[in-house]
Amino acid sequence: MATCSTILTGPNLASAGGAPTPSAPIPRLDWSRCVLGSEFDCATARVPLDYDDPGGPTIELAVVRRKAADPGRRVGTLFFNPGGPGGPGTVQMPQNYESFPREVRERFDIISWDPRGIGNSTAVNCFGSPEEAADWNAKTPAGFPVGKKERAAFTAAYEELGRRCEQRAPELVRHVSTADTARDLDQLRQAVGDQQLAYYGISYGTYLGATYANLFPGRVRAMVLDGNWDPRAWTNNASDQVAQTASFQRLGSGRSAAKTVNRFLTLCGSATTARCAFSAGSPEATQNKYDQLLRRLRKDPVGPWTYAGTVAAVVNSLYVVQPGATELADTLQDLWERRVPEPSPLPPPPPVPNPNPYLGEEQSTAIFCGDSPNPRDPGMYHTLAEAAAARSGDTGRFWIWATAGCASWPAVAEDRYRGPWNKPTAHPILVVGNTYDPSTPHSAAQAMAQELADARLLTHEAVGHTALLNPSNCVQAHVSRYLIDGTLPPPGATCRQDTPLFSPPKPSGGVATGGGGTAGIIT
């Protein structure tokens, strides 16, 4: 993979300054089949590294497209961001293409891209070789650090990562902000010839969407924000004070994850072991069994399965609950019986040139540490994590430690956007939130709908992270109508998951859906 130094071109960087952003040349997209026989097209867009210096260094964005299945009824282009930060769209859009409502696939070209700094685009890579990256990864524990020794090793590892990135990618790490990516998105919109933007963003992609909507409010045609980040919480209310709280703490991820795990255990305990292998016959007994398992793993891991690694696996398994919840129940039962679980099969690689790009920890870290304030004292994270555990249990620890690498991160984004979030948009925005989400709480969807100038909230009574990846016909019908002709759901609209966890399967009614993988733990 080319490092940033081999792709950046042009004179020395100009300082960001505060002047209005000059116009940049519209990138040219020369589409070709991603690989022989693929139904996806690939292209590369070249955009400025720094939009305050549009004639200066440039970077490359890897872009993927699936053309409208019914071109005679084509509406336009729908841009998709799969979250993260750090989700490679060139991989995850093809993986999750079937999850989009059938009418949307028929009537829109669907385009995604690897955001700047990520994957197949000009990527933040702070290691000289895959072996160096693997050696660094071995220094960090699975899930989060437990005990003084692991916390010290964790802190030292991220201090090393910060030094490496400052040495190997100093310019790039200062220009991978969400605002920079929103400007890239507007460049891509112009490149395909759309006058206004149609957009579907999940998880972190909701924050990207909200940023775009407030940087370019007149260019919003339709925008679905699914699995939301509260932008005021993420930016710490645009405070210039050193943060005393962690990003996902402000977002409420630990509490939401605890609520979701409890829901999983309740539904598992209400089912037979034929439906949920971990069931102990009742919700209370199953909760007690889970708590006992985690206490046991603290003292006696099962092979590589530690307490913290298991907590992380529980949270991640509840992102896509069909089949994640059933696989999680099998895993927990294996651990209960002191068997090392078999790894879950990975989704098949999509038909793109590089379906397994380098996605090192430094890529997502560069984005969220540059965008979102976090404590700079490494010692604070243990205190915050234990306080979160007192409120939310084990998932509280998991989500506090998720941004602890920011304590020693060397860069703040030069072009952050921190609000306001209520600029009137050309058209209203549709906000979708699941009630049991292990990452983004329903309260964040409520906050997003309130903070945007003109938005409608659709509540999805469901377990899982985002409605796109945990679909219901009801949500898909609302999303299709909104994207195609602008019709919003009625105020207060609520949908339910087609197939509740551990219930007997039943036909879903003709809308083809499908799952896919996620890159990393933060989406």
Side-chain angles (χ1 to χ4, degrees):
M1 173 177 295
T3 64
C4 65
S5 61
T6 64
I7 294 179
L8 300 182
T9 59
N12 292 333
L13 301 179
S15 62
T21 303
S23 60
I26 299 171
R28 177 176 174 178
L29 298 174
D30 291 324
W31 297 105
S32 61
R33 290 294 186 191
C34 293
V35 296
L36 187 64
S38 172
E39 294 185 334
F40 294 91
D41 301 318
C42 287
T44 300
R46 189 170 285 277
V47 296
L49 173 71
D50 181 354
Y51 279 94
D52 292 326
D53 183 18
T58 62
I59 57 175
E60 292 183 344
L61 304 178
V63 189
V64 67
R65 176 184 69 181
R66 179 71 177 261
K67 297 185 78 171
D70 187 352
R73 300 169 64 231
R74 179 181 176 276
V75 174
T77 303
L78 177 67
F79 287 90
F80 171 65
N81 178 274
T90 62
V91 176
Q92 292 185 333
M93 188 276 274
Q95 280 182 330
N96 295 304
Y97 175 76
E98 297 294 332
S99 294
F100 290 94
R102 176 181 53 80
E103 277 196 285
V104 172
R105 288 182 274 127
E106 287 176 349
R107 304 193 64 182
F108 286 90
D109 295 346
I110 300 179
I111 287 181
S112 193
W113 74 107
D114 293 4
R116 55 173 58 212
I118 304 300
N120 294 306
S121 293
T122 300
V124 176
N125 186 344
C126 302
F127 298 95
S129 68
E131 292 74 23
E132 283 187 10
D135 288 345
W136 182 87
N137 276 298
K139 298 175 184 177
T140 58
F144 50 87
V146 177
K148 288 184 179 179
K149 184 177 179 180
E150 284 193 357
R151 291 197 297 272
F154 180 98
T155 298
Y158 276 92
E159 287 174 347
E160 177 192 342
L161 185 67
R163 289 193 300 271
R164 284 178 173 273
C165 292
E166 184 67 10
Q167 291 168 0
R168 292 184 62 87
E171 299 95 349
L172 187 57
V173 296
R174 287 167 173 77
H175 292 94
V176 293
S177 72
T178 302
D180 289 318
T181 293
R183 295 182 178 100
D184 292 341
L185 175 55
D186 199 58
Q187 289 290 97
L188 294 175
R189 173 195 64 79
Q190 294 176 74
V192 300
D194 285 6
Q195 294 301 305
Q196 291 183 312
L197 178 78
Y199 174 80
Y200 199 128
I202 63 174
S203 196
Y204 162 78
T206 65
Y207 180 66
L208 171 59
T211 300
Y212 183 97
N214 284 277
L215 287 175
F216 307 105
R219 300 175 195 171
V220 174
R221 177 197 172 274
M223 187 171 279
V224 180
L225 306 182
D226 177 6
N228 285 261
W229 286 13
D230 175 353
R232 287 174 59 87
W234 192 251
T235 57
N236 200 25
N237 290 310
S239 172
D240 291 322
Q241 302 299 313
V242 176
Q244 302 300 307
T245 53
S247 300
F248 289 104
Q249 175 187 3
R250 296 191 299 268
L251 195 61
S253 297
R255 294 190 301 275
S256 187
K259 178 181 173 183
T260 304
V261 173
N262 290 341
R263 183 65 172 166
F264 160 80
L265 294 169
T266 295
L267 294 173
C268 178
S270 301
T272 65
T273 53
R275 295 275 176 212
C276 180
F278 193 65
S279 176
S282 73
E284 183 179 12
T286 305
Q287 177 73 61
N288 290 337
K289 181 180 178 180
Y290 176 72
D291 293 341
Q292 186 178 341
L293 173 62
L294 290 185
R295 286 194 299 271
R296 199 173 76 194
L297 287 170
R298 274 180 171 270
K299 300 176 181 178
D300 185 19
V302 177
W305 286 79
T306 62
Y307 153 73
T310 301
V311 172
V314 169
V315 173
N316 287 320
S317 294
L318 294 175
Y319 271 47
V320 183
V321 297
Q322 305 290 353
T326 299
E327 292 175 351
L328 172 60
D330 294 341
T331 294
L332 294 175
Q333 186 61 25
D334 282 340
L335 294 173
W336 179 256
E337 297 175 7
R338 293 182 166 85
R339 291 192 303 266
V340 176
E342 290 291 326
S344 298
L346 295 173
V352 296
N354 185 15
N356 295 296
Y358 176 70
L359 297 170
E361 184 76 10
E362 65 269 36
Q363 295 183 5
S364 60
T365 299
I367 297 171
F368 63 69
C369 293
D371 264 354
S372 184
N374 279 275
R376 299 294 292 178
D377 176 5
M380 283 189 65
Y381 288 89
H382 175 56
T383 302
L384 291 174
E386 294 312 295
R391 293 188 302 269
S392 308
D394 308 283
T395 61
R397 290 191 180 97
F398 172 83
W399 280 114
I400 290 293
W401 283 104
T403 57
C406 295
S408 53
W409 188 249
V412 173
E414 289 191 5
D415 286 301
R416 288 184 295 170
Y417 182 80
R418 302 194 296 169
W421 302 101
N422 61 352
K423 294 184 181 179
T425 48
H427 296 94
I429 293 170
L430 176 58
V431 174
V432 185
N434 285 6
T435 50
Y436 297 95
D437 188 311
S439 173
T440 55
H442 187 252
S443 60
Q446 293 171 316
M448 178 70 88
Q450 292 168 358
E451 289 162 15
L452 296 172
D454 187 6
R456 178 70 48 82
L457 174 63
L458 174 62
T459 294
H460 186 208
E461 291 185 358
V463 180
H465 182 45
T466 79
L468 180 73
L469 301 181
N470 299 276
S472 75
N473 287 332
C474 172
V475 171
Q476 291 196 335
H478 282 303
V479 166
S480 295
R481 283 194 294 268
Y482 167 71
L483 287 174
I484 291 168
D485 60 27
T487 302
L488 288 166
T494 299
C495 291
R496 288 180 174 81
Q497 209 158 11
D498 288 342
T499 305
L501 266 61
F502 309 121
S503 64
K506 58 184 179 180
S508 61
V511 177
T513 62
T518 55
I521 59 171
I522 302 172
T523 61

